[in-house]
Amino acid sequence: MQLSIIIPTLNRSASLKKTLQSIVDQHPSDWLFEVIVVDNGSTDDTREVCLQYEQQLKNVVYHYDDEPGQLTGRHKGTEISQANIISFIDDDVELNPCWITSIIQLFSDDEDLSLIGGPSLPKYHRYPPSWVQFFWQPSPYGGSMCLPLSLIDIGVERLEFDPLYIFGLNYSIRKKALLDLGGFHPDCITKLLQRYQGDGETGLSLKAKARNLKAIYSAKALVYHQVPAERLTPEYFENWFYYNGVCQSFTDLKNGSHPGTIGKKPAAAFSGIVSKAGSLLKKALKNNETSLPDEILKLQERFNGRYKEGYSFHQSAFNTDNSVRNWVLKEDYWDYKLPI
């Protein structure tokens, strides 16, 4: 087996069906690959959907594990995997027809290559409201990205880049590198258990970056990301910014900033970092313009406030709850089991 495609999923059978069909529609030549779907406790027809594809995808594995969090799928899938290359994709993406061939070929051609990312383009379920455009930003490599919607298009065929720009919905890595780095950190924890949220693939990418592992962006490693109407709302963006405040707190504490980081405010307004509005505001001030549209400024303030709330929530949990402190300071999460 040359490639394992691992898909964590939870109650998204309709979008998962599109993901699996996009794998069926691949043109993988003679490459050998397997598909591992880890069901994180679905109550819909996810299992039946997977069984439907057993004939079309000869090497498809369905595994059920309801331990809360996306890390269940990522690490259980890794344990099941029989390949030396692993690609983690989300259950709401569709793959470019040459995606499998490209991933395997790129790794085969370069023994020093450890990680691959690629474009994530939107499949909007409705036309985005005008304010969303202000929350796109230029990437350091050209092109643009919208982090709250996990979208990125650098606009080049191929380049070596920072692994922090490999998004979790399209994350390919050599299995040896994944194991050597200690795996992923917790991710996508349910709201009631948010204190145990971690920084997901960001934590893994930070470790890869610290070891100078080679990562590339390839336009052929393209996925299309389903963007339903409910994600094109201020409420969704607020929740995303809150969640990322929690993630940033975990990152700061995990990277040895404790106890000095405990209770510290974020170093900068997160919306100014990740939003197009932040860069446009600086440009407007430079040109002696006084303001952006009031709607955008208000949204920026709301989102930034939610980010700070998430950050403070997690810092407080770390301070007051020993189970959270011990959880954050774990060496790795291969024995993934929430302390509840």
Side-chain angles (χ1 to χ4, degrees):
M1 198 66 62
Q2 293 162 300
L3 173 68
S4 295
I5 302 171
I6 296 176
I7 312 173
T9 190
L10 175 61
N11 285 331
R12 284 186 182 169
S13 62
S15 63
L16 175 64
K17 189 171 184 178
K18 294 178 181 179
T19 301
L20 293 173
Q21 186 59 48
S22 76
I23 298 174
V24 171
D25 295 339
Q26 293 286 296
H27 306 297
S29 185
D30 295 324
W31 300 124
L32 296 176
F33 68 94
E34 63 182 354
V35 179
I36 302 170
V37 179
V38 182
D39 185 344
N40 197 210
S42 297
T43 55
D44 62 6
D45 60 341
T46 290
R47 183 175 183 277
E48 287 71 25
V49 166
C50 292
L51 293 177
Q52 290 172 16
Y53 280 89
E54 283 188 341
Q55 297 302 316
Q56 296 165 284
L57 294 169
K58 295 180 180 179
N59 297 310
V60 61
V61 177
Y62 171 85
H63 182 85
Y64 183 92
D65 190 328
D66 60 2
E67 181 70 20
Q70 192 177 38
L71 188 56
T72 298
R74 286 173 168 172
H75 281 184
K76 179 56 67 173
T78 300
E79 181 183 318
I80 295 171
S81 167
Q82 299 183 56
N84 294 322
I85 302 168
I86 301 179
S87 291
F88 298 92
I89 64 173
D90 280 2
D91 57 4
D92 58 358
V93 303
E94 297 175 42
L95 307 181
N96 178 42
C98 67
W99 187 91
I100 289 176
T101 299
S102 300
I103 295 295
I104 297 176
Q105 191 69 63
L106 287 165
F107 277 117
S108 298
D109 290 346
D110 188 347
E111 293 182 356
D112 295 327
L113 179 60
S114 293
L115 303 100
I116 298 174
S120 170
L121 304 183
K123 275 201 168 184
Y124 293 117
H125 291 197
R126 74 172 177 91
Y127 197 80
S130 60
W131 61 265
V132 171
Q133 67 179 302
F134 290 94
F135 293 89
W136 282 79
Q137 68 172 114
S139 90
Y141 304 96
S144 59
M145 56 189 182
C146 181
L147 299 184
L149 298 178
S150 298
L151 303 174
I152 185 169
D153 184 8
I154 291 177
V156 298
E157 185 64 27
R158 176 176 171 176
L159 60 80
E160 188 170 342
F161 76 151
D162 188 329
L164 284 171
Y165 293 94
I166 304 178
F167 293 177
L169 79 174
N170 185 21
Y171 199 108
S172 297
I173 186 170
R174 291 192 191 274
K175 189 173 186 179
K176 182 180 186 305
L178 176 62
L179 297 176
D180 288 347
L181 292 170
F184 289 93
H185 290 166
D187 202 1
C188 295
I189 304 294
T190 59
K191 185 174 291 187
L192 291 176
L193 300 172
Q194 192 83 139
R195 62 194 181 277
Y196 300 117
Q197 172 64 42
D199 55 7
E201 71 273 2
T202 299
L204 178 60
S205 291
L206 284 169
K207 291 183 285 187
K209 182 176 181 177
R211 297 194 190 183
N212 294 314
L213 297 188
K214 184 176 181 179
I216 66 165
Y217 170 96
S218 171
K220 293 180 180 178
L222 163 67
V223 302
Y224 296 94
H225 190 204
Q226 300 288 333
V227 184
E230 57 266 25
R231 293 190 185 182
L232 298 171
T233 64
E235 291 73 22
Y236 176 84
F237 273 60
E238 279 188 305
N239 289 333
W240 186 90
F241 276 85
Y242 181 93
Y243 161 85
N244 274 274
V246 174
C247 293
Q248 185 61 51
S249 171
F250 181 95
T251 299
D252 290 347
L253 294 165
K254 190 76 174 176
N255 289 345
S257 299
H258 65 283
T261 300
I262 300 173
K264 185 182 81 172
K265 292 182 179 179
F270 193 67
S271 58
I273 297 171
V274 304
S275 72
K276 186 178 179 182
S279 57
L280 287 179
L281 179 57
K282 292 178 183 178
K283 183 177 180 181
L285 293 173
K286 185 177 181 180
N287 294 333
N288 294 319
E289 299 173 17
T290 57
S291 66
L292 288 167
D294 286 344
E295 177 192 18
I296 303 305
L297 293 174
K298 289 178 180 177
L299 285 174
Q300 188 178 24
E301 183 178 357
R302 281 172 60 183
F303 298 161
N304 189 57
R306 289 292 285 161
Y307 169 80
K308 291 180 179 179
E309 288 175 21
Y311 191 96
S312 296
F313 162 79
H314 188 263
Q315 293 275 309
S316 176
F318 183 87
N319 268 327
T320 59
D321 188 333
N322 284 334
S323 69
V324 174
R325 178 184 290 269
N326 293 335
W327 178 251
V328 170
L329 300 182
K330 279 173 64 71
E331 183 175 352
D332 61 54
Y333 299 86
W334 289 116
D335 59 342
Y336 180 67
K337 183 79 174 173
L338 289 173
I340 55 173

